[in-house]
Amino acid sequence: MNRLLTIGFLGLLLFGCRSSKEFYTNTGTLKNITDAKLIKNTEENNIPFDSIFFKKFHAEITLNGDKKSFKGNMFVQRDHSIVVSIYTLMNIELVRVRFQPDLVEIIDRTKKEYIRSDYRLLWEKFMVELDYHVLQDILLNELYAYPIGDNTRLDLKKYKHDRKVDVYTFQSIKKGRFSRLYRKESTDGIILHEFSILPDVFKVSKSYIKDFSSNTSINIEYNNFTQVQTYLMPNRIMIDGNRDGYSFSLKINFPTIDVTSNNSIGFKVSKKYDVKDLLHE
């Protein structure tokens, strides 16, 4: 199950009207802007729909040199649940996962198991601290604060922006202060979180996390932006992570992003499956 869950969850972290195939390629123009205005403009360009269906995505993942390919579907109900179905290239379902604000549920088809857990299951297995809302923000290409706090909107107000080549950067530590700490080798306990944001359209093109205490880094890149109604959404996500000898990379393509159909993914557990409850361990 651990291997299937690893493949399934990393497949998640990528990524009526369906997305077109004409990619956004403009570089845009950087302008003088305040931190508050950058947050406001970016949030106003979030896709506002309550449910989104990512149909028949294709992914390739490499875990410490071991490469696998798989397919899947994902259904997101904003602030309610995320359901992902992972299956082989031969259309045999391997695992189905449902994320809710306080619960992670896994149906392992190969072992005929049903697992209930909280988000510690993901913290221990992957390189980034996650709760439901951070996971949702990553999937929907939105801003989030890291490490996780009680109020994302308030925490984001502490971030500072800069201009770099053809993007705005927006990071948890002011650039000058971080440079001074780095030169003094005083980065122990520091977590750097930085976004790259495209000008004009104000979409996140990159999210980078560096935890100096654990020597962990995660880099998430969004590209191939296409129009979904009047909003832009990435059709491709590339993720790279490293921590003390463990590494992974992920490439995933979403050929169809649907916001108006009645498509969804059910979550029904067979009574014949063994139940593992990890909530109280």
Side-chain angles (χ1 to χ4, degrees):
M1 188 278 291
N2 287 343
R3 184 176 184 80
L4 293 178
L5 177 58
T6 300
I7 293 174
F9 179 71
L10 289 174
L12 273 173
L13 290 180
L14 313 175
F15 280 3
C17 178
R18 296 177 178 178
S19 58
S20 67
K21 294 306 170 189
E22 184 176 345
F23 299 140
Y24 176 80
T25 57
N26 295 346
T27 56
T29 303
L30 293 172
K31 301 176 181 178
N32 290 328
I33 193 171
T34 65
D35 297 333
K37 184 67 172 176
L38 182 59
I39 294 173
K40 181 176 182 294
N41 287 356
T42 304
E43 290 181 340
E44 286 178 348
N45 282 280
N46 290 343
I47 193 163
F49 305 102
D50 292 332
S51 63
I52 304 178
F53 188 74
F54 298 84
K55 184 179 180 182
K56 295 183 179 179
F57 64 76
H58 300 264
E60 180 182 276
I61 185 169
T62 304
L63 300 170
N64 280 342
D66 184 15
K67 184 182 295 185
K68 298 289 184 182
S69 297
F70 59 93
K71 301 189 296 185
N73 295 310
M74 182 170 64
F75 181 67
V76 180
Q77 283 186 285
R78 186 180 289 275
D79 299 330
H80 180 266
S81 67
I82 300 165
V83 181
V84 61
S85 172
I86 300 294
Y87 47 95
T88 68
L89 300 181
M90 300 298 292
N91 294 319
I92 299 172
E93 187 176 49
L94 300 173
V95 63
R96 188 170 297 195
V97 184
R98 179 165 64 182
F99 298 94
Q100 299 181 82
D102 299 311
L103 182 65
V104 178
E105 298 173 279
I106 304 157
I107 299 174
D108 185 340
R109 302 294 189 194
T110 63
K111 293 187 176 180
K112 300 187 184 305
E113 290 180 342
Y114 166 63
I115 301 101
R116 289 164 46 90
S117 181
D118 57 23
Y119 284 83
R120 288 177 298 176
L121 179 69
L122 305 182
W123 299 356
E124 294 168 357
K125 187 166 292 294
F126 304 103
M127 300 177 181
V128 59
E129 183 182 2
L130 288 167
D131 63 8
Y132 176 85
H133 295 287
V134 170
L135 176 60
Q136 177 179 263
D137 291 339
I138 291 173
L139 292 172
L140 298 184
N141 187 233
E142 299 179 3
L143 295 174
Y144 60 96
Y146 191 87
I148 296 171
D150 295 327
N151 189 323
T152 293
R153 183 173 292 273
L154 184 62
D155 290 339
L156 281 174
K157 290 182 178 180
K158 301 174 185 177
Y159 282 49
K160 300 299 179 182
H161 88 284
D162 202 349
R163 292 182 292 178
K164 182 179 180 181
V165 188
D166 57 357
V167 297
Y168 297 105
T169 60
F170 193 48
Q171 59 187 43
S172 56
I173 304 173
K174 194 172 182 179
K175 185 177 179 181
R177 177 171 177 262
F178 175 74
S179 297
R180 289 192 298 271
L181 291 171
Y182 191 81
R183 287 196 302 268
K184 294 179 181 178
E185 298 183 351
S186 301
T187 55
D188 190 45
I190 295 295
I191 297 177
L192 173 66
H193 182 208
E194 180 179 276
F195 293 101
S196 295
I197 300 174
L198 299 174
D200 294 350
V201 294
F202 294 96
K203 297 299 295 185
V204 175
S205 62
K206 183 182 294 186
S207 177
Y208 175 75
I209 297 171
K210 175 68 175 182
D211 186 335
F212 288 87
S213 295
S214 62
N215 193 28
T216 298
S217 64
I218 297 287
N219 189 59
I220 305 171
E221 292 189 25
Y222 303 90
N223 51 42
N224 288 3
F225 283 86
T226 58
Q227 192 165 335
V228 180
Q229 291 196 355
T230 59
Y231 295 86
L232 288 177
M233 284 289 288
N235 272 205
R236 192 180 190 199
I237 294 180
M238 294 185 294
I239 306 175
D240 291 286
N242 290 277
R243 180 176 59 198
D244 289 337
Y246 174 80
S247 65
F248 75 85
S249 66
L250 173 70
K251 298 177 182 178
I252 186 164
N253 291 285
F254 293 103
T256 304
I257 303 173
D258 199 340
V259 297
T260 60
S261 75
N262 294 320
N263 285 325
S264 63
I265 302 175
F267 197 88
K268 185 176 181 180
V269 182
S270 171
K271 294 181 180 179
K272 297 180 180 180
Y273 279 28
D274 294 330
V275 177
K276 289 187 176 182
D277 193 336
L278 306 180
L279 286 171
H280 307 294
E281 288 190 355

